[in-house]
Amino acid sequence: MPREIRLNAFDMACIGHIQQGMWTHPRDRSVEYASLDYWMDLARTLERGLFDGLFLADVVGVYDVLGGRPDAAIRNAVQIPLLDPLLLVPAMAAVTRHLGFGVTCNLTYEAPPLFARRMATLDHLTRGRIGWNIVTGYLDSAARAMGLPKQMAHDDRYAAAEAFMDRVYALWEGSWADDAVLRDRAAGLYADPARVRDVAGGGPFLVEPSPQRTPVLYQAGASDRGRAFAARHAECVFVNYGRPADIARLTADLRARAAPRPIRIFAGATLIVGRTRAEAEDLLAEYRRHASVEGALAHAAASLGIDFDRFGMDEPIEVAATDAISSNVEAMRRVFGPGWTKRQLVDQFVLGSRQRPIVGSAAEVAEALIGFAEAADVDGFNLARTVMPEGIEAVVDLLVPALQERGAYKRGHGEGTYRERLFGAGPRLAAPHPAAAHRR
Ligand SMILES: Cc1cc2nc3c(=O)[nH]c(=O)nc-3n(C[C@H](O)[C@H](O)[C@H](O)COP(=O)(O)O)c2cc1C
């Protein structure tokens, strides 16, 4: 029997997320991103496809590394305009019962009590279906937007994140005892003050215990420091798609570092699924005509921290360590060798990013994912969008049945909170996770 594959949709409250330019396709609906109907339709589709979750990325600055200006990003709608992802969740939760929501929030510019309250509110409103992708950002533009000269250095960001986690665990797990809430109408006693304690001298947490308390924790750092952080805090880890052998080394290292805690690992992937191979290839050809090289370059420049306008097409790109996503820079070196060029990068762009699509009939894509999951030891995939909504509908209507026929996909929703469905254990984090140490 193949292993069970889990699916997340990887999206963002914007027009151009990963595959840049797709919005120019006449059937694409992503320009409706600012309407609730768009997100509620997506949530219903994912629930029908028995997806574990909708994962929403986020940044809080603009992509202005290419040419030192945001023009290319603005022209191509590359993660700008961009809405606040947390605010989309209640509407989607209202039209679903099972779908989880993994929302990215950059902790660097957040006050722990306010952030902890927003997440706990969503955990209540979704009945325990909220997750948080812990990020510290990779954009100097975000720091400048907050009135700072530049972002903190890569490893310092992780150190700050450790301190932040300690604060929010204390709020979520440590302030209210399980039996603090009495709701005793006859006695006029809502909660027992002896069972609600101050956190770090700041008074009690404002939110009464939610189903999961701490949201399901996601993280995507792949550098050495990032892995150490993931091993300590993350329950789910995102890794970029790549050669299975490279991913297998990363997943083995992450699992060994996190042990005995189990972690769920999702690989990013872009799929083009057709009824037949020919249909999928036709779709690829059609989508490709809409891919934006300029948009992809603006995105890559910001996430790698390299201004590609400074390099000719065939000039070797030699850069010192950047403060952006260092694991992405390492991946470029690994794949192309030192002295890789802009031409090699641009040649990678098929649909509008470095993530090359897996293209085929439902059966072929199912086999490819099953083989990849086994070889790379991942639990599932984080599917970047192509043309919306037809790209995700093809996954739900064609690929999911093909995976089910092969015994590699669930046939019904699990029960309970997001955490319970991901791990088959309780709704709350348990020891040895550091959050559990804050529990009363
Ligand atoms: C699949 C994936 C998704 C990510 N999504 C976001 C995001 O939405 N927002 C963000 O600020 N960073 C995001 N990141 C960046 C990571 O959170 C992290 O900051 C980055 O990988 C740098 O850490 P590293 O050098 O340890 O890999 C993502 C990274 C990966 C690999």
Side-chain angles (χ1 to χ4, degrees), residues 284-357:
L284 171 65
E286 190 186 309
Y287 291 1
R288 248 189 129 148
R289 287 199 287 276
H290 293 271
S292 165
V293 170
E294 187 191 48
L297 214 49
H299 190 183
S303 62
L304 295 163
I306 300 169
D307 178 5
F308 294 107
D309 272 4
R310 295 196 352 252
F311 296 89
M313 283 306 270
D314 297 303
E315 201 180 321
I317 293 177
E318 310 278 7
V319 287
T322 77
D323 274 327
I325 305 184
S326 62
S327 52
N328 279 351
V329 182
E330 284 158 28
M332 293 299 296
R333 269 193 214 113
R334 200 168 47 237
V335 174
F336 297 120
W340 55 278
T341 64
K342 184 154 94 177
R343 188 180 306 281
Q344 283 174 308
L345 175 69
V346 170
D347 282 348
Q348 288 282 297
F349 298 159
V350 174
L351 274 195
S353 83
R354 276 174 296 144
Q355 190 170 91
R356 302 171 76 88

Side-chain angles (χ1 to χ4, degrees), residues 10 12 55-59 104 106 133-138 154 157-158 219-227 238-240 324-328 382:
F10 190 28
M12 194 168 190
F55 178 80
L56 292 168
D58 193 38
V59 290
T104 301
N106 182 341
N133 178 32
I134 309 165
V135 304
T136 57
Y138 51 86
H154 181 268
R157 297 203 295 269
Y158 280 112
Q219 210 260 343
S223 63
D224 185 60
R225 187 66 188 81
R227 293 183 203 189
F238 282 145
V239 298
N240 283 324
I325 305 184
S326 62
S327 52
N328 279 351
N382 214 17

Side-chain angles (χ1 to χ4, degrees), residues 6-18:
R6 294 168 174 277
L7 295 179
N8 275 326
F10 190 28
D11 214 312
M12 194 168 190
C14 65
I15 294 163
H17 177 207
I18 302 282

Side-chain angles (χ1 to χ4, degrees), residues 229-235 254-255 258-263 429-434:
F229 184 90
R232 185 165 156 76
H233 299 281
E235 302 174 80
L254 283 166
R255 291 191 197 283
R261 268 196 327 112
I263 49 172
L429 276 166
H433 193 283

Side-chain angles (χ1 to χ4, degrees), residues 123-143:
D123 200 44
H124 277 297
L125 297 180
T126 61
R127 295 178 197 269
R129 290 190 278 148
I130 197 73
W132 170 35
N133 178 32
I134 309 165
V135 304
T136 57
Y138 51 86
L139 298 171
D140 281 333
S141 65

